[in-house]
Amino acid sequence: MKTDKGAPAPYGAARWLVIPVIAAHNFEEWLTFPSFHNEAAAKHLGLPFQAPSWLAMQIGFVLVTLAPACIVVWASLGRQRWWKDIAVCWVGGIFFANIFLPHIPAAIIVGGYSPGVLTAVLVNLPFFPFLFWRAVRDGYLTARQVLFAVLIGAASLPVSIVGVLALSKAIARL
């Protein structure tokens, strides 16, 4: 959808902003992860946990930055289809849920900072609801479609985390 003067509607711009928002978040995690003690948080919860190698984590950060970027580029180029915007909101749903699991609980458990919590709360928390609202407001998707995409994204967060960690560990072993 276009605005009156032919400029892209704000959702079109917000959709492109998903890439730097996710990249900034993953960069914060990459910068701070080596000094974070995952084992301490896991022991506090009574969970058996062995942190992935730093190489596997770096590969994982690249994967969780590039995969959403590819989805946004694919959705933004070519003929606009509602299902492409569903995919963007699905990605947004994953990163929105990621604020509440694991970032905020991890910060609470360790009693302070955990990798990614700053961008999760200060950038992702306001940005992704704005993205969802603009998708509806600008007529790209209905509220029901956005809700569906966000809920499916949130539900796929645990599978995404496990899948990315497994893939990154496998690539690190090559």
Side-chain angles (χ1 to χ4, degrees):
M1 177 175 269
K2 300 277 184 186
T3 60
D4 293 338
K5 297 184 181 182
Y11 171 75
R15 180 175 50 200
W16 281 107
L17 287 174
V18 168
I19 296 170
V21 164
I22 289 173
H25 174 69
N26 292 336
F27 184 65
E28 179 196 355
E29 288 187 321
W30 177 79
L31 282 176
T32 58
F33 185 83
S35 62
F36 183 69
H37 296 78
N38 292 299
E39 289 84 2
K43 284 180 184 175
H44 183 75
L45 293 173
L47 300 173
F49 181 79
Q50 181 179 1
S53 71
W54 178 228
L55 175 60
M57 286 305 300
Q58 290 180 70
I59 293 167
F61 290 135
V62 169
L63 292 174
V64 298
T65 304
L66 291 181
C70 289
I71 291 169
V72 169
V73 169
W74 164 77
S76 301
L77 300 177
R79 190 170 185 164
Q80 293 301 295
R81 304 284 189 182
W82 65 268
W83 39 270
K84 288 181 169 184
D85 292 308
I86 291 281
V88 171
C89 288
W90 169 72
V91 166
I94 292 172
F95 279 85
F96 188 67
N98 190 46
I99 299 164
F100 305 102
L101 186 69
H103 290 295
I104 291 175
I108 292 168
I109 289 167
V110 299
Y113 179 81
S114 67
V117 75
L118 289 178
T119 52
V121 172
L122 299 176
V123 179
N124 295 7
L125 185 58
F127 174 75
F128 285 108
F130 172 76
L131 174 77
F132 307 144
W133 174 74
R134 287 313 311 199
V136 174
R137 168 88 166 55
D138 295 344
Y140 284 80
L141 296 171
T142 66
R144 176 177 260 154
Q145 289 171 319
V146 169
L147 181 62
F148 171 79
V150 171
L151 290 176
I152 296 300
S156 63
L157 174 64
V159 174
S160 300
I161 291 172
V162 170
V164 166
L165 284 175
L167 180 59
S168 65
K169 286 178 183 179
I171 293 170
R173 284 191 296 264
L174 296 177

